[in-house]
Amino acid sequence: SIIVNLENVAHMRLRNIDFVRRNGALEQMVQMGQNSDGCRFEGCRFIDSLANPEALMRIGSMINSGYSDGMQVLGCTFEGGLVGVKALGSSSESLSMGVAICGNRFSNQYNNAVQAVYQTNLTIDGNEMYDVLTNGGFVAQVNDCYGSISLQRNRIFTSNGAGAMGLSGLTGTATAHALVANNMMVCEDNGNANSQWTPFNIISGSYIEVVYNSVKMTAPTRSGIAAA
């Protein structure tokens, strides 16, 4: 149920490799673990060729960090799956650190392009993210992350009612603010969704610096919705 298991491999670089699911059930495409520190993916392609519209038929995640530190995902392409990159820490008392997700292209995920939970020193920078299939969440979702956090220069586009960026429990410090800057979020309503989520939603957090972001929402058939 896993294409590549890296649960006990550290400091490995995978470059210009295609990972493709053509048939069969998969839980994860690449599974990492607590011992997988410092692994790096460069210029790889992660493709769920089945692209089934049903959530239960999709790969759980294309990359699952499995509580590891220092994972880098750079210049890769993700098509399909439930989640593109899932960066997970164990708990608020046992954070993963130093994850960087930069310069990638995401499309056609079901739930999230990027999901980051229980991280510190997290960087999500310069990615392009296109529509998720559900309209009940956010393309980029960051929950319970602490310390020096950088979410910059991402371009996020939705057309079916999903939100672009959802931030919850984002907690910087007095000396190292969480930075959300120079992102572009475009959310348009194609009329087929049963609801429209707020494109840019900071649900909770502290010591957050939000500067120079662009948020556009087109929802001609909706009312009572704010862009941010």
Side-chain angles (χ1 to χ4, degrees):
S1 60
I2 300 170
I3 290 183
V4 178
N5 190 331
L6 301 177
E7 289 182 283
N8 293 297
V9 177
H11 303 289
M12 173 178 280
R13 183 173 74 169
L14 296 95
R15 185 176 181 185
N16 298 334
I17 299 173
D18 287 356
F19 301 88
V20 181
R21 192 271 291 258
R22 299 196 182 280
N23 53 55
L26 280 179
E27 294 178 8
Q28 317 291 336
M29 189 165 275
V30 176
Q31 177 65 58
M32 302 164 69
Q34 287 181 312
N35 297 319
S36 306
D37 294 346
C39 287
R40 182 181 178 110
F41 303 86
E42 294 181 24
C44 297
R45 296 171 68 237
F46 299 84
I47 312 296
D48 185 359
S49 292
L50 293 186
N52 196 295
E54 298 297 325
L56 292 176
M57 297 300 294
R58 287 174 167 253
I59 298 171
S61 58
M62 313 296 253
I63 298 178
N64 187 320
S65 72
Y67 312 150
S68 63
D69 293 334
M71 178 183 74
Q72 297 183 53
V73 184
L74 310 174
C76 296
T77 299
F78 297 84
E79 296 180 12
L82 278 177
V83 178
V85 176
K86 186 177 286 189
L88 300 178
S90 178
S91 69
S92 58
E93 289 77 36
S94 182
L95 302 171
S96 291
M97 65 180 298
V99 167
I101 303 167
C102 305
N104 306 287
R105 187 184 191 279
F106 298 85
S107 62
N108 196 36
Q109 281 73 51
Y110 193 90
N111 288 336
N112 314 106
V114 174
Q115 182 186 112
V117 183
Y118 296 137
Q119 301 288 317
T120 186
N121 299 335
L122 169 70
T123 301
I124 302 175
D125 192 326
N127 301 283
E128 289 191 4
M129 306 177 189
Y130 297 89
D131 269 334
V132 293
L133 297 190
T134 181
N135 67 337
F138 299 94
V139 179
Q141 185 162 334
V142 179
N143 296 343
D144 299 314
C145 292
Y146 302 85
S148 178
I149 301 159
S150 177
L151 311 177
Q152 296 194 68
R153 291 176 287 270
N154 299 288
R155 296 161 58 88
I156 306 175
F157 304 88
T158 75
S159 63
N160 66 345
M165 185 179 289
L167 311 176
S168 174
L170 195 66
T171 307
T173 69
T175 56
H177 293 180
L179 179 61
V180 184
N182 296 299
N183 299 287
M184 183 174 75
M185 292 164 263
V186 178
C187 296
E188 298 183 344
D189 180 8
N190 60 13
N192 296 321
N194 58 18
S195 65
Q196 173 81 39
W197 280 55
T198 300
F200 182 33
N201 196 342
I202 302 178
I203 299 164
S204 62
S206 61
Y207 292 110
I208 305 170
E209 190 171 347
V210 180
V211 294
Y212 302 119
N213 297 284
S214 174
V215 183
K216 175 186 175 182
M217 180 178 67
T218 303
T221 63
R222 312 290 179 184
S223 63
I225 302 168

